[in-house]
Amino acid sequence: MERKEVTSLHASRSTLYDAVLFIGFGGPEKSLDIIPFLENVTRGRGIPQERLLDVAHHYEAMGGKSPINAITRRQAEGLHKALQGLGVPIPVFIGQRNWHPFLKDTLAAMANQGIKRAIGLPAAAHRCEASLERYI
């Protein structure tokens, strides 16, 4: 989208959106986060503890954390910089379904900061029940 279109969109609809909410999956940041993270992901699905421990070994093999949070932060920062460069100076927040910052906490923080209307950007590779519908 070229600069003129985005700037015009923002100028004509400035009352519609005062923030962007980047909605991510989340992932463990350190080894101690792995099991609580997996319990969040599988909550209510009856996944045996042994299976969670098996999956935890995959995270341990990657250094005890997932790269997804760092990727999500870089994407949100890039979006914020791009919007600023286009003359759309609105904040970009991150809310995640399965790990910090949790979506509900981000929404509360946004409300406390006076954000009234935000546009959500789900960071899912494709639409399916696990990637989008669980967020709604």
Side-chain angles (χ1 to χ4, degrees), residues 17-25 69 71-81 83 89-97 100-123:
Y17 305 112
D18 47 10
V20 174
L21 175 57
F22 202 88
I23 305 167
F25 185 82
N69 293 344
I71 292 167
T72 299
R73 285 189 290 268
R74 284 194 309 269
Q75 289 173 322
E77 290 165 6
L79 176 60
H80 185 248
K81 287 178 184 175
L83 288 170
I90 60 175
V92 177
F93 293 87
I94 296 173
Q96 301 186 121
R97 182 176 184 277
H100 306 281
F102 287 108
L103 189 54
K104 65 181 177 66
D105 298 333
T106 299
L107 289 169
M110 290 169 68
N112 288 339
Q113 292 179 38
I115 302 297
K116 301 288 186 204
R117 294 187 51 105
I119 186 166
L121 177 64

Side-chain angles (χ1 to χ4, degrees), residues 7 11 16 27-28 58 62-63 84 87-88 90 94-95 98 100 114 120 125:
T7 303
L16 288 181
H58 296 285
M62 295 188 309
Q84 284 182 323
V88 184
I90 60 175
I94 296 173
N98 296 300
H100 306 281

Side-chain angles (χ1 to χ4, degrees), residues 124-133 136:
H126 55 86
R127 184 180 181 141
C128 70
E129 186 271 336
S131 70
L132 185 59
E133 279 79 17
I136 301 173

Side-chain angles (χ1 to χ4, degrees), residues 8-65:
S8 172
L9 174 69
H10 176 66
S12 65
R13 297 185 180 183
S14 61
T15 58
L16 288 181
Y17 305 112
D18 47 10
V20 174
L21 175 57
F22 202 88
I23 305 167
F25 185 82
E29 298 272 3
K30 59 187 179 300
S31 290
L32 290 176
D33 297 342
I34 296 171
I35 294 296
F37 163 75
L38 292 173
E39 290 170 344
N40 282 339
V41 171
T42 61
R43 185 177 329 120
R45 292 183 186 78
I47 306 297
Q49 187 69 19
E50 315 77 71
R51 179 63 184 134
L52 299 183
L53 294 173
D54 287 341
V55 174
H57 292 298
H58 296 285
Y59 283 103
E60 291 294 349
M62 295 188 309
K65 66 179 185 175

